[in-house]
């Protein structure tokens, strides 16, 4: 008994239906995966923009208080020093989470954020370190009346140099501090909120 050609065609119909179904299922899964990846990338970028915007805002608020403290009380007093150290602690949060910066797709914005943190943090570190050194020299001058005149003159010259370095660090910090609003304005559309 011979099978007719039509029996094979009927079987090919079923095979073709299975192949088309498998292709549609695979294509649907790929499209779903692509959509899910794109949504996940957008969510991660939004979260990173919010994170860095919050850190920048936090550092800015602390620096605002430090600058105000210098105007109200003793210019180089203990409160101001603590506020600058607090600003450094806030920038440490950025350092611990810096790899999240790569979740922001805009390469130029990533560069601006990273450069800003470096250029704002380095003068604060220098400011605090020279502050400590200045305080040590001042204590030595005040506490040690038996210093030779040459040593006393050298220490006073060191104080002048450190005072100039502190003022330079403060000016540099204020200059970088003024740029933060521009960076936050760039982050706001990505973060989908206003800082």
């Amino acid at each position: 008994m011979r099978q007719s050609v039509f029996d094979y065609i009927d079987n090919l119909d079923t095979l073709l239906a299975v192949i088309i179904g498998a292709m549609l299922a695979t294509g649907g899964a790929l499209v779903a995966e692509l959509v899910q990846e794109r949504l996940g990338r957008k969510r991660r970028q939004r979260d990173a923009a919010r994170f860095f915007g919050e850190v920048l805002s936090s550092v800015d608020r602390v620096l605002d208080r430090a600058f105000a403290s210098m105007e109200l009380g003793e210019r180089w007093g203990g409160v101001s020093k603590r506020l600058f150290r607090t600003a450094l602690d806030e920038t440490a949060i950025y350092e611990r989470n810096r790899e999240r910066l790569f979740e922001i797709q805009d390469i130029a914005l990533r560069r601006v954020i990273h450069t800003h943190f470096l250029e704002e943090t380095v003068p604060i570190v220098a400011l605090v370190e020279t502050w400590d050194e200045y305080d040590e020299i001042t204590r030595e001058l005040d506490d040690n009346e038996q210093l030779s005149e040459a040593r006393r003159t050298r220490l006073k010259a060191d104080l002048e140099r450190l005072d100039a370095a502190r003022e330079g660090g403060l000016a540099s910090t204020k200059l970088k501090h003024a740029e933060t609003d521009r960076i936050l304005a760039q982050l706001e559309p990505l973060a989908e909120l206003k800082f």
Side-chain angles (χ1 to χ4, degrees), residues 92-138:
I93 295 170
Y94 165 78
E95 285 297 322
R96 287 192 302 269
N97 294 281
R98 189 172 54 192
E99 71 278 352
R100 290 187 66 190
L101 197 57
F102 292 106
E103 293 170 359
I104 294 176
Q105 301 299 310
D106 186 348
I107 295 171
L109 181 57
R110 286 194 318 240
R111 181 186 48 78
V112 166
I113 292 169
H114 184 65
T115 303
H116 179 76
F117 269 107
L118 289 177
E119 290 176 344
E120 191 172 51
T121 303
V122 170
I124 297 172
V125 169
L127 185 68
V128 170
E129 287 175 356
T130 55
W131 208 321
D132 291 339
E133 194 176 344
Y134 189 94
D135 290 346
E136 287 175 26
I137 292 173
T138 303

Side-chain angles (χ1 to χ4, degrees), residues 69 77-84:
S69 167
V79 173
S80 300
K81 184 177 183 180
R82 285 182 189 89
L83 285 168
F84 281 108

Side-chain angles (χ1 to χ4, degrees), residues 45-86:
Q45 177 175 260
R46 184 193 66 221
D47 292 345
R50 286 179 178 180
F51 173 77
F52 291 114
E54 284 298 320
V55 172
L56 278 167
S57 296
S58 178
V59 170
D60 246 28
R61 285 190 298 273
V62 173
L63 286 176
D64 285 338
R65 283 167 181 72
F67 299 148
S69 167
M70 294 182 84
E71 300 301 320
L72 292 175
E74 185 182 343
R75 180 163 174 81
W76 297 103
V79 173
S80 300
K81 184 177 183 180
R82 285 182 189 89
L83 285 168
F84 281 108
R85 285 200 174 157
T86 302

Side-chain angles (χ1 to χ4, degrees), residues 124-195:
I124 297 172
V125 169
L127 185 68
V128 170
E129 287 175 356
T130 55
W131 208 321
D132 291 339
E133 194 176 344
Y134 189 94
D135 290 346
E136 287 175 26
I137 292 173
T138 303
R139 273 193 300 276
E140 184 177 350
L141 281 170
D142 292 344
D143 295 343
N144 196 347
E145 293 179 11
Q146 297 175 358
L147 286 175
S148 68
E149 196 54 42
R151 173 80 175 146
R152 189 172 295 281
T153 304
R154 198 168 347 120
L155 289 176
K156 286 182 180 179
D158 286 345
L159 283 179
E160 288 177 19
R161 178 185 52 80
L162 289 171
D163 194 44
R166 286 193 310 188
E167 290 295 337
L170 180 63
S172 180
T173 301
K174 284 183 176 181
L175 185 68
K176 286 299 152 189
H177 173 70
E179 296 176 5
T180 304
D181 288 338
R182 180 181 51 83
I183 297 170
L184 290 175
Q186 289 179 288
L187 280 171
E188 286 173 355
L190 298 176
E192 299 173 4
L193 58 83
K194 187 153 179 62
F195 293 107

